[in-house]
Amino acid sequence: MLDRFEIGVITSSHGLKGDVKVYPTTDDASRFYEIGEVLLESGRVLELEDVRFFKGRPIVKFRGLDRIEDVEALRGQSLYVTRENAAPLKEGEFYIGDLVGCRVFLEDGSLYGELKDILRTGANDVLEIVLADGSEKLIPMIPSCVPEVLPEEGRIVVRPMREI
C-alpha cells in the first residue's frame, strides 16, 4: 500500500510573490483548503500559507517562498499528501494507488491479469487490465462485474461482461 498520494502538479508560477498554479489530481480540489503541508517527490515538505481558486484551479502560496525565483524550479513537480493526511474513505471506496498493480482473478480463481490503471469516466470507474498476452481489457467497476476488491491482499475478482 502506498504511503503517500498525489494531489496535484505545479503547472506554473502566478504573479511575482511566490504563488503557484496547481493542476489538481484529487477528486475534490477544495481539499487544498484543509491541507496544511505537502510533499514534493524529493521528500521536501512545503507548508501551505494560502490557497485560493481561479477558474476552478488552486493557486497556492507556500510559507517561506515569497518570490517568483523561489518557485520557478517547482514547475512540473507533483504534490503529495501522506496517507494520514489523505481524504478519508467511505465504505466501499479505495485509493486508486492501492489498487494499481493488484492481480486480477476470475471468479473461478484463475488469474486474469494485472490492474494497470483505473479510468475515471464520470458515470463509473473502469478497470484497465493487462492480460498475460499483453492485451488490455476494460471492465466497468460496478458490482455485477467486480464482486470483490481486496487491496490488502493485492487481489481483485472480476466477472467480465460477455462480448457481443
Side-chain angles (χ1 to χ4, degrees):
M1 296 223 176
L2 298 176
D3 61 345
R4 62 183 179 178
F5 301 98
E6 183 183 79
I7 59 160
V9 178
I10 296 173
T11 58
S12 65
S13 59
H14 181 80
L16 302 174
K17 297 186 179 181
D19 294 338
V20 295
K21 294 179 185 177
V22 175
Y23 176 80
T25 56
T26 178
D27 286 347
D28 182 8
S30 68
R31 288 250 315 123
F32 277 87
Y33 286 125
E34 304 164 9
I35 299 168
E37 65 183 25
V38 294
L39 302 166
L40 297 176
E41 184 71 37
S42 65
R44 180 180 176 192
V45 177
L46 297 175
E47 185 180 346
L48 278 69
E49 183 177 299
D50 185 47
V51 176
R52 62 189 189 283
F53 281 77
F54 180 71
K55 295 185 179 180
R57 299 258 172 98
I59 296 181
V60 177
K61 170 75 175 78
F62 299 113
R63 189 169 313 284
L65 303 180
D66 300 320
R67 304 173 311 137
I68 189 172
E69 295 84 5
D70 297 335
V71 297
E72 278 297 312
L74 301 179
R75 182 187 311 232
Q77 292 197 38
S78 293
L79 303 175
Y80 298 89
V81 293
T82 61
R83 182 175 286 277
E84 296 79 33
N85 291 326
L89 296 173
K90 298 174 186 163
E91 182 151 347
E93 290 184 333
F94 308 94
Y95 295 118
I96 291 174
D98 286 342
L99 298 179
V100 171
C102 282
R103 294 181 313 159
V104 179
F105 294 88
L106 296 173
E107 289 181 296
D108 66 7
S110 61
L111 182 63
Y112 187 63
E114 182 176 302
L115 184 65
K116 177 180 176 183
D117 200 0
I118 296 180
L119 309 174
R120 311 298 307 254
T121 66
N124 54 266
D125 295 342
V126 176
L127 302 179
E128 184 178 4
I129 301 168
V130 177
L131 306 181
D133 65 5
S135 64
E136 296 184 2
K137 290 287 185 179
L138 300 176
I139 296 181
M141 196 163 181
I142 56 177
S144 60
C145 294
V146 185
E148 280 188 288
V149 179
L150 306 164
E152 60 282 348
E153 296 177 21
R155 175 182 177 87
I156 299 171
V157 176
V158 298
R159 183 184 305 131
M161 298 170 77
R162 289 187 300 142
E163 294 184 25
I164 299 174

